[in-house]
Amino acid sequence: MDKLKFCFITCFFSLLLFSCGEEDVDKVTVGDYTFVITNGTSKKVDIVYHHILKGEDDPSMEIFTLYPSDSIVRIGETNGIAGEIEPFWYGRVFLVFEDTITCLCKPNLEHLCMIDRPQCYTKEEKAPDVYVCRYVITEEDYEYAKLHPYKEE
């Protein structure tokens, strides 16, 4: 029994001794993130956001319509635990140009039509831990969407 107590006490103090230090905390994303998406094209663009995880009273889909030079602002979302803050958390995002060309936002080598990826935004620090991240939908995004239209699965 004494060996069991000794092991228990050793494990307990080991956990205290090796718990996370400052170097672990530094990798956590903190702060207030605002994502601004601007339509820099001459076309009407709809952003269609299909939520995969949602609450009972939440809509399963949101549509944001941007006419040329319009913008929307989204507050960054995360999954409630430490992690990357994103403009659209856990869902599928589509860009629809002129109601005819639909493109699924997904990783690509050209980094076009990727409004769902925070790393594709230009990030400005406005104050300590306060960031504004900007993405401009360009004619290049439109050309990419024409070449890579979404085909329903």
Side-chain angles (χ1 to χ4, degrees), residues 69-132:
S69 301
D70 279 354
S71 296
I72 64 163
V73 176
R74 296 204 36 91
I75 303 303
E77 301 176 81
T78 188
N79 60 0
I81 60 174
E84 189 167 33
I85 298 174
E86 301 183 17
F88 302 94
W89 185 77
Y90 210 70
R92 296 175 76 184
V93 181
F94 298 87
L95 291 179
V96 181
F97 292 89
E98 294 291 330
D99 298 324
T100 59
I101 300 170
T102 300
C103 182
L104 174 64
C105 297
K106 63 180 182 179
N108 61 73
L109 296 176
E110 294 87 358
H111 296 283
L112 295 171
C113 296
M114 292 175 50
I115 65 169
D116 61 332
R117 310 289 173 180
Q119 60 270 26
C120 293
Y121 286 69
T122 303
K123 183 166 98 172
E124 305 170 40
E125 186 171 15
K126 295 297 187 179
D129 295 328
V130 177
Y131 302 94
V132 174

Side-chain angles (χ1 to χ4, degrees), residues 19-28:
S19 65
C20 71
E22 280 187 41
E23 65 280 353
D24 297 320
V25 175
D26 287 345
K27 294 177 185 165
V28 173

Side-chain angles (χ1 to χ4, degrees), residues 39 41 43-47 64-66 95-97 137:
N39 181 1
T41 72
K43 292 142 188 63
K44 179 186 124 193
V45 178
D46 290 325
I47 299 169
F64 308 95
T65 299
L66 299 175
L95 291 179
V96 181
F97 292 89
I137 300 169

